[in-house]
Amino acid sequence: MGTEQYHEPPAELSAETRTFARMCTNLTEEAEAIGWYEQRISLEPDPAARAIMENSLGEEFKHFCMELEYLFRATPKWGQIARGILFQDGDIVDNGEAAEEAADSDPTGTAESGQTTPLGSSDGSLGIGSLKGTAS
């Protein structure tokens, strides 16, 4: 079994910590793959080959996002900070500072969203409701 993702003896780590480390490794690998596909696509002259690579790139985006969401749910404070930064208008650094300050004052990660349970609760919800059935 590979242990490159561990900085401490794996046998001494909890199962949750080992899973968290695996997901962080997956996230890193997906980010690397995204970078590789972007480079390949920018140079590929064959339209059919480029289309296949672009399709593969979309899969890497999906995997990256799913792994990131898992980590947010597993780490409520991280998820709370992310909600204060991602998809927000305004200055990214200012949003990050404000999100970190808010998370530091609520280490459970539940105040900002109005949730009463941390991310990754038994229902698997982020507490943002469903977009199904909404018309735009």
Side-chain angles (χ1 to χ4, degrees):
M1 175 179 179
T3 59
E4 291 178 6
Q5 72 259 30
Y6 302 117
H7 294 282
E8 299 296 331
E12 296 179 24
L13 300 172
S14 69
E16 293 83 9
T17 299
R18 290 191 312 270
T19 295
F20 187 87
R22 284 194 222 53
M23 293 303 287
C24 286
T25 299
N26 282 357
L27 189 69
T28 300
E29 291 170 354
E30 297 298 343
E32 287 178 343
I34 289 167
W36 295 335
Y37 276 115
E38 287 288 349
Q39 292 175 44
R40 292 171 188 154
I41 291 166
S42 74
L43 297 176
E44 181 52 56
D46 183 281
R50 192 172 49 253
I52 293 167
M53 290 180 206
E54 288 170 346
N55 182 273
S56 296
L57 176 61
E59 288 294 309
E60 303 302 340
F61 286 149
K62 178 182 78 176
H63 298 155
F64 181 92
C65 292
M66 291 185 326
E67 290 157 2
L68 189 59
E69 178 67 12
Y70 176 90
L71 292 167
F72 288 164
R73 291 180 186 192
T75 312
K77 184 174 179 179
W78 188 5
Q80 181 182 3
I81 292 170
R83 284 192 305 274
I85 299 169
L86 298 174
F87 311 109
Q88 303 296 321
D89 292 330
D91 185 83
I92 295 169
V93 174
D94 290 344
N95 290 346
E97 293 298 322
E100 183 178 33
E101 185 177 316
D104 285 344
S105 66
D106 176 34
T108 64
T110 59
E112 182 178 299
S113 66
Q115 290 176 224
T116 57
T117 57
L119 296 179
S121 61
S122 61
D123 70 355
S125 168
L126 287 176
I128 59 174
S130 174
L131 297 177
K132 293 180 181 177
T134 60
S136 50

